[in-house]
Amino acid sequence: MASPTDKESPARPSNFLRQVIERDLDQGTYAARQWGGSPGDAAHHHHGEPDPAKIRTRFPPEPNGYLHVGHAKSICLNFGLAQDYGGICHLRFDDTNPEKEEIEYVEGIKDAVHWLGYSWDANSTSHLYQASDYFDFMYRAAEYLVEAGHAYVDEQTPEQMRANRGDFGKPGVDSPFRSRSIEENLTRLRAMRDGQLADGSAVLRAKIDMASPNINMRDPTIYRIKHAEHHNTGDKWCIYPMYTFAHPIEDALENITHSICTLEFEDQRPFYDWLLERLGEGGLVNTPPPRQYEFARLNLTYVVTSKRKLKQLVDEKHVSGWDDPRLPTIVGLRRRGYTPEALQLFADRIGVSKADSWIDYSTLEIALRDDLDPKAARAMAVLDPVKMVVTNWEELMGAGHLEPCSAPVHPHDAARGRREFMFGRELWIERTDYEDTPPKGFFRLFPGNKVRMKYGYVVECTGASRDASGALTEVQAKLVPDTRSGTPGADAVKVKGNITWVGVADGVKAEVRLYERLFSVPQPGAGEKDFLEEINPDSLKVVTAYVEPSLGRAKADEKFQFERHGYFVADRKDHVAGEKPVFNRVTGLKDSFGK
Ligand code: ATP
Ligand code: MG
């Protein structure tokens, strides 16, 4: 498959990140850097070659859940920028928390990145890293900061620490431990490392400025004690770095140039710069250091994009799993019928900005339609079937006769050939295509009206039968001879209605899952509301449909436009070609939500 950002794709609109990168490339900011072939400290890189990557970006997920559409934006952004500017994007598992890592999530994340069309392999190197591999270096950096007088072990209680931090209007108060000697700090740090202190009894803090207007600069904690086993390093460590300390170091060891994150980290940037400047001065990390740039996270209406909430929906079985087609997870979107190209198009269209905003869910659906319209094969399906009997068929055509009809696989691409199906005495039609008395503007089936059975004959409706409850059980019509589509007489009879149908003789029974939005409000959980109470009770309706023969043969994951109905995909899990066809509705033909 061609990568969604290969050279032929149209130039992307510029944005502030592209401008920063172009400026850095013009000025040669990172041109002189060397790369040691793998992540490492300054000495490691100094022994390497000139960095073959013009820029390095990274996508750094925590392996604690499946990725969602917001992550897709970040993946498209980071891998896309690297591709466009001769760079390399790393996939880094941010696993510095000693939590149980689930292999399922790690594999899921790798699959998602690959499926979106990206790779972390470049120059015969796999740029797949895990942050916990840097624990040794992080501890070394911590000792360095202590030795340089830039960090101290604080043994205030957590309550004292909180109280002494101050707030927006009030400067913090220095800890009584702040003036300890370097030797004493080193001894205490090693005691922390060696397991001599209990969880919560001490932390290592950077020594910056307790009066800083930026609270993040008021001697932030950089290491804490946690006697917990880590999936990668086992019980080697009982102290673990804080995210704000770990992340800049991870970036620096990996020679990242542009570290792109979401806006909530903006206030952390001064510490990011402070730390890398200190470690650069000490000759520990390569220079010039990476820089952090923030963009607005994706907020998409009618879904939730927090891993915690998604996990809750899965764990409490509000949905069938992480790949439920109603979820905005990448596996869910994929199963729903979304394509990598549609997500790429969506990411390009929403762009990046510095201001938080909400993107309407329909933007995602429009990108999907734009991608599928030229690709998806057309087919007929009857989702709410009722039988129509052509009462004069045997008399005109002979008993048991079936008349072959055909239609283009794609209306704008004759080369894709034609699909064939049979017209006969009995056809499945949509229940809503018949009315006893037509409402204004109704041109479909009602007694006395003529319509074209699409790609087939013109028929004249003669009546219908109903059961005791009044439900429609059968529609009757008469064939108008010599009107088959594609024959000379086809246009002799003018009709206003065009009816989609499936032959009873060759139609295939299929399960069709009609998905709607999972939430009934644009911002689930906004305000005081519990997001679970805003789940749309009608987000899934399963129907038994009849579909034309080509759909019975569909391959799992194949996408179609069901004429009149919208886009559908053969479910990648449950569909069995030729045996048990199962289709998911991806989206309607046009935006009709709430209308
Ligand atoms: P969540 O809050 O859903 O758990 P997260 O930010 O904690 O998400 P991470 O695994 O830490 O998840 O995210 C990996 C990367 O994806 C980060 O760089 C983060 O900035 C980015 N990211 C996460 N959510 C979004 C979003 N909604 N829009 C854009 N980028 C996102
Ligand atoms: Mg996170």
Side-chain angles (χ1 to χ4, degrees):
M1 186 192 76
S3 133
T5 53
D6 61 9
K7 294 281 183 296
E8 293 94 71
S9 57
R12 304 213 146 69
S14 190
N15 58 49
F16 71 96
L17 291 170
R18 290 179 168 268
Q19 286 161 13
V20 165
I21 291 170
E22 284 161 19
R23 189 202 61 208
D24 281 336
L25 290 174
D26 274 357
Q27 298 178 350
T29 313
Y30 295 99
R33 288 201 326 174
Q34 287 168 297
W35 165 248
S38 57
D41 63 10
H44 172 76
H45 287 305
H46 291 162
H47 286 112
E49 304 291 319
D51 195 335
K54 290 213 177 86
I55 61 165
R56 284 184 190 265
T57 54
R58 84 287 171 271
F59 174 65
E62 212 177 313
N64 60 353
Y66 279 83
L67 301 182
H68 54 63
V69 62
H71 295 112
K73 173 178 176 176
S74 179
I75 292 169
C76 291
L77 184 62
N78 281 293
F79 281 89
L81 287 171
Q83 271 181 0
D84 288 355
Y85 291 102
I88 294 174
C89 182
H90 300 185
L91 175 59
R92 177 201 307 149
F93 288 108
D94 208 327
D95 60 351
T96 51
N97 260 328
E99 273 161 13
K100 192 162 127 271
E101 168 173 276
E102 301 212 23
I103 284 295
E104 181 192 353
Y105 297 142
V106 170
E107 290 307 314
I109 290 168
K110 292 201 276 188
D111 282 349
V113 175
H114 275 151
W115 180 71
L116 281 168
Y118 298 107
S119 169
W120 47 86
D121 290 338
N123 308 321
S124 329
T125 303
S126 168
H127 300 86
L128 175 68
Y129 303 119
Q130 49 182 345
S132 58
D133 283 341
Y134 312 143
F135 280 160
D136 286 339
F137 180 88
M138 288 174 189
Y139 180 75
R140 189 177 134 211
E143 284 211 351
Y144 167 76
L145 290 180
V146 168
E147 282 163 357
H150 295 313
Y152 62 100
V153 173
D154 194 354
E155 296 180 54
Q156 295 183 98
T157 65
E159 296 71 43
Q160 286 168 331
M161 247 181 271
R162 208 169 304 124
N164 288 340
R165 194 163 44 220
D167 55 34
F168 283 108
K170 195 169 98 206
V173 176
D174 284 2
S175 162
F177 298 93
R178 199 175 197 266
S179 49
R180 281 176 147 169
S181 71
I182 287 175
E183 290 66 34
E184 196 185 350
N185 275 316
L186 211 48
T187 308
R188 294 307 281 166
L189 175 59
R190 289 176 180 167
M192 280 171 67
R193 177 199 61 187
D194 296 338
Q196 293 161 19
L197 302 182
D199 286 8
S201 63
V203 293
L204 184 69
R205 297 178 76 173
K207 194 175 193 175
I208 308 178
D209 178 8
M210 286 306 290
S212 171
N214 180 343
I215 293 178
N216 296 298
M217 294 297 272
R218 294 183 188 170
D219 294 7
T221 298
I222 58 183
Y223 256 102
R224 67 197 157 124
I225 304 170
K226 193 164 177 181
H227 288 84
E229 201 157 298
H230 188 280
H231 73 96
N232 183 25
T233 54
D235 56 8
K236 177 170 180 189
W237 298 98
C238 61
I239 58 172
Y240 290 94
M242 303 301 285
Y243 179 85
T244 46
F245 177 71
H247 203 87
I249 292 179
E250 294 158 22
D251 286 343
L253 295 178
E254 291 181 19
N255 253 14
I256 299 304
T257 54
H258 301 83
S259 177
I260 300 165
C261 63
T262 43
L263 278 180
E264 60 272 25
F265 293 99
E266 194 167 12
D267 290 345
Q268 302 287 357
R269 179 158 27 96
F271 179 68
Y272 185 105
D273 292 339
W274 179 92
L275 177 63
L276 293 185
E277 209 173 305
R278 300 287 86 72
L279 299 181
E281 285 164 5
L284 271 77
V285 295
N286 210 0
T287 51
R291 295 278 174 214
Q292 174 183 303
Y293 304 91
E294 307 86 17
F295 72 103
R297 66 189 293 116
L298 168 66
N299 297 309
L300 190 63
T301 59
Y302 295 100
V303 296
V304 291
T305 52
S306 128
K307 270 189 254 172
R308 185 181 59 75
K309 287 180 179 171
L310 290 168
K311 190 164 190 310
Q312 195 179 347
L313 288 169
V314 173
D315 290 347
E316 296 177 8
K317 305 213 181 322
H318 299 286
V319 293
S320 63
W322 285 100
D323 65 352
D324 188 292
R326 288 165 294 182
L327 289 185
T329 51
I330 296 179
V331 279
L333 291 166
R334 180 178 182 185
R335 191 165 172 205
R336 179 72 173 263
Y338 274 82
T339 57
E341 293 81 1
L343 292 177
Q344 174 73 56
L345 190 60
F346 171 71
D348 282 348
R349 284 182 180 168
I350 60 176
V352 287
S353 87
K354 295 280 289 176
D356 267 320
S357 68
W358 284 80
I359 301 291
D360 196 83
Y361 192 79
S362 60
T363 312
L364 184 62
E365 296 177 312
I366 292 167
L368 181 79
R369 288 188 204 106
D370 288 349
D371 180 53
L372 286 188
D373 180 48
K375 292 180 184 169
R378 284 5 183 207
M380 287 201 289
V382 176
L383 303 185
D384 184 10
V386 67
K387 205 176 269 184
M388 183 177 91
V389 176
V390 183
T391 52
N392 60 348
W393 181 261
E394 297 200 340
E395 175 192 322
L396 290 172
M397 313 293 287
H401 179 75
L402 293 174
E403 181 70 18
C405 298
S406 74
V409 170
H410 196 283
H412 307 307
D413 188 358
R416 291 177 67 176
R418 298 183 74 80
R419 31 188 249 265
E420 303 207 325
F421 35 85
M422 296 292 183
F423 202 103
R425 182 172 174 270
E426 295 184 324
L427 308 176
W428 296 113
I429 60 166
E430 294 290 345
R431 190 169 294 275
T432 50
D433 279 352
Y434 175 82
E435 294 280 351
D436 290 325
T437 338
K440 199 170 174 292
F442 184 88
F443 302 118
R444 289 170 274 164
L445 293 155
F446 56 89
N449 193 40
K450 289 198 185 77
V451 297
R452 170 166 301 283
M453 304 309 287
K454 205 170 180 188
Y455 313 118
Y457 292 88
V458 172
V459 300
E460 178 176 340
C461 181
T462 52
S465 315
R466 295 185 179 272
D467 65 14
S469 70
L472 192 65
T473 52
E474 187 187 283
V475 174
Q476 294 97 26
K478 279 196 156 124
L479 191 75
V480 181
D482 303 324
T483 53
R484 207 190 72 180
S485 293
T487 60
D491 296 329
V493 186
K494 294 282 174 232
V495 295
K496 281 189 173 164
N498 222 336
I499 306 291
T500 51
W501 55 277
V502 167
V504 170
D506 66 348
V508 177
K509 206 180 217 182
E511 176 177 328
V512 178
R513 301 168 180 172
L514 300 172
Y515 291 105
E516 283 289 352
R517 295 175 186 187
L518 183 56
F519 290 94
S520 40
V521 297
Q523 298 181 13
E528 303 294 289
K529 287 272 177 60
D530 176 0
F531 78 108
L532 294 176
E533 281 165 22
E534 298 178 304
I535 290 181
N536 173 7
D538 303 315
S539 61
L540 171 59
K541 195 171 136 204
V542 181
V543 299
T544 301
Y546 286 97
V547 299
E548 66 167 69
S550 67
L551 288 176
R553 296 187 296 267
K555 294 192 291 290
D557 219 23
E558 203 176 339
K559 284 102 186 153
F560 296 90
Q561 186 191 103
F562 288 5
E563 301 190 27
R564 285 174 65 188
H565 290 298
Y567 293 96
F568 291 74
V569 64
D571 188 73
R572 41 197 317 268
K573 251 190 181 163
D574 301 334
H575 173 88
V576 185
E579 278 179 43
K580 183 181 168 252
V582 180
F583 294 93
N584 301 329
R585 177 165 66 198
V586 198
T587 177
L589 284 180
K590 52 183 191 292
D591 188 16
S592 59
F593 185 77
K595 291 186 183 122

